[in-house]
């Protein structure tokens, strides 16, 4: 089997790469220029409208890769899950892109990209967009057993309950938001389709949402130029986390602007402007 193959059943050209454990990872590729991989957060997938719009905005400057994280969309879901397997998935995509790449991660996708960079993946520049860490004791935190509860709900095939629990207890969304989403058939169907991967996101964030300082020693190898992004309209916990992360990483800078928040929707054009400016600059070590 070649390294990638075209999925003729898809509505657009879709490629696949085989991860280290044999899992099939589906991805799309558009544009021209240096490789840039977009790593989505919880509930998202490669055809999520905001992700597609962002790729369109970036395609003139970069060869943009969007992919289905394992368990989502057209990708496989080899069990048991482990964060290491998701890192290997991203590593396989980087190899497919030529051996090195720029990487942008959003929310839990930022947590994944950060951990992948710490493991030594060939990431030349890194953009971390509002990773949902909780670093201040006074900020709202998920329950101590958040990961266990999400996992149990999915194990009992209670997907709707898992979505509500993840959004309200994990993301801090008001319950009426979930009720409104349930009244939007297309939106709710997409959430239900990826709900079984919520324990994966909870695992990625486990230990980083407890209101404690970030573990600088864990990420001391993340020395590539890094952009940390936050929206001034975002909840305090996200802003505190972004600021702390920018201060913790060896070679990071923070961009803080209204419109960069992601809790309601993502502003593809504004994000693309910041990413293009950062990824086309020869960033120098600042710390």
């Amino acid at each position: 089997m070649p390294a990638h193959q075209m999925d003729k059943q898809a509505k657009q050209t879709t490629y696949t790469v085989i991860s280290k454990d044999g899992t099939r990872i589906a991805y799309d590729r558009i544009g021209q220029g240096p490789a840039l991989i977009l790593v989505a957060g919880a509930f998202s997938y490669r055809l999520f409208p905001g992700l597609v719009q962002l790729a369109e905005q970036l395609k003139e400057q970069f060869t943009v890769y969007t992919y289905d994280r394992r368990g989502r969309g057209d990708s496989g879901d080899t069990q048991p899950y482990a964060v290491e397997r998701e890192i290997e998935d991203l590593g396989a995509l980087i190899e497919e892109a030529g051996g090195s790449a720029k990487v942008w991660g959003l929310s839990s996708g930022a947590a994944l990209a950060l951990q992948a960079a710490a493991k030594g993946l060939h990431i030349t520049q890194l953009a971390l967009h509002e990773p949902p860490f909780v670093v201040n004791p006074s900020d709202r935190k998920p329950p101590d057993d958040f990961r266990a509860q999400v996992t149990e709900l999915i194990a009992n095939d209670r997907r709707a309950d898992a979505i509500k629990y993840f959004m309200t207890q994990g993301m801090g969304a008001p319950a009426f938001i979930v009720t409104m989403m349930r009244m939007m058939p297309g939106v709710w169907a997409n959430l239900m389709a990826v709900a079984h991967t919520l324990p994966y996101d909870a695992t990625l964030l486990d230990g980083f949402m407890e209101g404690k300082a970030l573990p600088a020693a864990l990420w001391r190898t993340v020395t590539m130029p890094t952009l940390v992004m936050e929206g001034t309209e975002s909840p305090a916990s996200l802003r505190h986390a972004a600021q702390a992360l920018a201060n913790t990483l060896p070679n990071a800078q923070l961009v803080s602007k209204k419109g960069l928040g992601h809790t309601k929707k993502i502003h593809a054009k504004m994000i693309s402007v910041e990413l293009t400016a950062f990824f086309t600059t020869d960033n120098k070590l600042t710390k």
Side-chain angles (χ1 to χ4, degrees), residues 183-260:
M183 298 171 65
M184 305 165 68
V187 172
W188 190 250
N190 288 337
L191 295 178
M192 289 287 284
V194 296
H196 63 285
T197 64
L198 292 176
Y200 305 171
D201 294 289
T203 300
L204 273 166
L205 299 171
D206 198 32
F208 302 119
M209 303 178 75
E210 300 173 351
K212 299 177 181 178
L214 295 174
L218 186 64
W219 299 326
R220 65 180 180 273
T221 57
V222 184
T223 57
M224 71 286 295
T226 300
L227 179 68
V228 182
M229 307 168 69
E230 60 144 342
T232 58
E233 74 279 15
S234 293
S237 61
L238 288 177
R239 300 202 64 203
H240 292 156
Q243 293 156 13
L245 186 59
N247 289 332
T248 298
L249 296 178
N251 188 18
Q253 58 182 282
L254 176 70
V255 60
S256 177
K257 290 185 179 180
K258 184 176 181 179
L260 288 180

Side-chain angles (χ1 to χ4, degrees), residues 86-168:
E86 281 226 70
I87 292 174
E88 290 168 359
D89 298 344
L90 181 53
L93 199 58
I94 290 173
E95 287 303 310
E96 187 79 349
S100 65
K102 307 170 190 296
V103 173
W104 169 85
L106 175 66
S107 196
S108 66
L112 172 57
L114 176 58
Q115 294 188 55
K119 288 291 186 180
L121 268 63
H122 294 158
I123 298 172
T124 57
Q125 291 170 295
L126 179 65
L128 304 172
H129 195 162
E130 293 195 332
F133 302 149
V134 182
V135 299
N136 284 11
S138 59
D139 287 341
R140 191 201 66 80
K141 298 182 288 290
D144 292 340
D145 61 348
F146 176 69
R147 174 186 173 188
Q149 289 293 331
V150 173
T151 302
E152 182 177 353
L153 288 169
I154 291 301
N156 292 326
D157 199 26
R158 297 170 58 190
R159 291 194 178 205
D161 291 335
I163 292 170
K164 181 177 180 180
Y165 184 83
F166 193 95
M167 285 188 167
T168 58

Side-chain angles (χ1 to χ4, degrees), residues 34 176 210 265:
F176 77 85
E210 300 173 351
K265 63 178 181 178

Side-chain angles (χ1 to χ4, degrees), residues 31-32 55-62:
Q32 56 186 356
E56 285 289 332
Q57 292 284 336
L58 293 165
K59 69 179 182 181
E60 298 302 322
Q61 295 277 353
F62 309 99

